[in-house]
Amino acid sequence: MTDSPAQPSLPPTPPSPTAGKKPRAWQRMLSGRRLDLLDPSALDIEIEDIAHGLARVARWNGQTSGDDIFSVAQHSLLVERLARAQTHDLDRSWRLAVLLHDAPEYVIGDMISPFKAMIGGDYKAVEARLLAAISQRFGLPVRWPQALVKLTKAADRAAAFLEATRLAGFSEGEAVKVFGRPPRLDASLEAAYLSPWRAQEAKERFLARFEDIAR
């Protein structure tokens, strides 16, 4: 029986340049800041970066009607407006907190709720660390009072209902089951907040509202 010819030996696989190294966990911002997602520092957070990022992050994974995305920046302004409508004497710091409630998404994007539910706690931990650093940066409590959390969630759900039915193709009945029934908005407010803006307009309006509250 003839022996099989010897197979040529292959050169050893070179080690990966990242072998033994921790994966990169920071993102560079246009301001030049470098924000570490594992250990975010308030010193690396700039409102210009937040506004720029949120104006370019799409709500509903972009599944909304119109030529432009409905951005997280625009959503944040809608939520803050709804919170003011619910509580007419809302404290300045609380208005600022509501405006910034989704600010971590300038780094991690807007993950849709069904996917958040699938992956569970890890995402929430990263989000919470970022929100704590953002809160510290702008003079808000690192741990929000429960009443503020409750107000923000109510306004956020109301905004989600309006966006779902006006922009994302939900029927009223379907949206009520998912988000509950929101307070009624007058037609002028709907027109002002529920027609998607271009990214630059969303950024400028977010920054203007921030400055109006923070000064």
Side-chain angles (χ1 to χ4, degrees):
M1 184 175 181
T2 306
D3 291 337
S4 300
Q7 296 296 318
S9 60
L10 298 174
T13 303
S16 167
T18 59
K21 295 182 180 179
K22 291 182 179 179
R24 178 172 68 88
W26 54 264
Q27 178 171 341
R28 183 174 295 283
M29 305 299 167
L30 288 179
S31 66
R33 297 290 187 183
R34 203 168 78 168
L35 185 63
D36 187 335
L37 273 70
L38 296 177
D39 186 21
S41 168
L43 298 175
D44 291 323
I45 293 165
E46 301 290 349
I47 192 60
E48 182 80 14
D49 292 330
I50 292 173
H52 185 88
L54 295 186
R56 288 159 175 78
V57 175
R59 290 273 291 167
W60 306 95
N61 272 355
Q63 296 297 312
T64 51
S65 58
D67 293 334
D68 298 295
I69 65 166
F70 188 82
S71 70
V72 175
Q74 186 168 352
H75 163 79
S76 299
L77 287 161
L78 173 59
V79 172
E80 193 265 336
R81 181 65 184 85
L82 288 168
R84 281 188 285 134
Q86 293 174 36
T87 309
H88 296 290
D89 59 347
L90 198 59
D91 179 81
R92 180 203 67 84
S93 63
W94 282 31
R95 281 181 276 139
L96 186 60
V98 175
L99 181 69
L100 294 171
H101 77 284
D102 274 342
E105 294 177 7
Y106 90 104
V107 184
I108 56 179
D110 182 23
M111 195 174 294
I112 59 173
S113 296
F115 193 52
K116 285 183 185 179
M118 287 175 58
I119 63 175
D122 288 346
Y123 176 90
K124 290 182 179 180
V126 173
E127 190 175 48
R129 282 195 296 269
L130 287 166
L131 186 58
I134 290 164
S135 296
Q136 184 181 9
R137 171 67 177 84
F138 299 112
L140 300 169
V142 172
R143 292 181 180 274
W144 290 10
Q146 192 57 39
L148 173 57
V149 173
K150 184 177 179 181
L151 171 71
T152 304
K153 285 184 176 179
D156 192 42
R157 288 175 69 84
F161 177 96
L162 293 167
E163 295 163 18
T165 53
R166 299 339 184 242
L167 298 166
F170 282 60
S171 69
E172 293 265 338
E174 187 178 25
V176 167
K177 290 178 182 178
V178 177
F179 306 109
R181 189 171 294 281
R184 186 176 298 276
L185 267 187
D186 65 55
S188 62
L189 281 176
E190 289 206 26
Y193 288 94
L194 288 163
S195 297
W197 308 326
R198 291 187 180 277
Q200 187 61 27
E201 180 182 359
K203 175 182 176 178
E204 290 172 358
R205 292 177 70 162
F206 184 93
L207 284 172
R209 184 60 188 152
F210 174 87
E211 294 297 337
D212 187 49
I213 298 171
R215 67 184 174 202

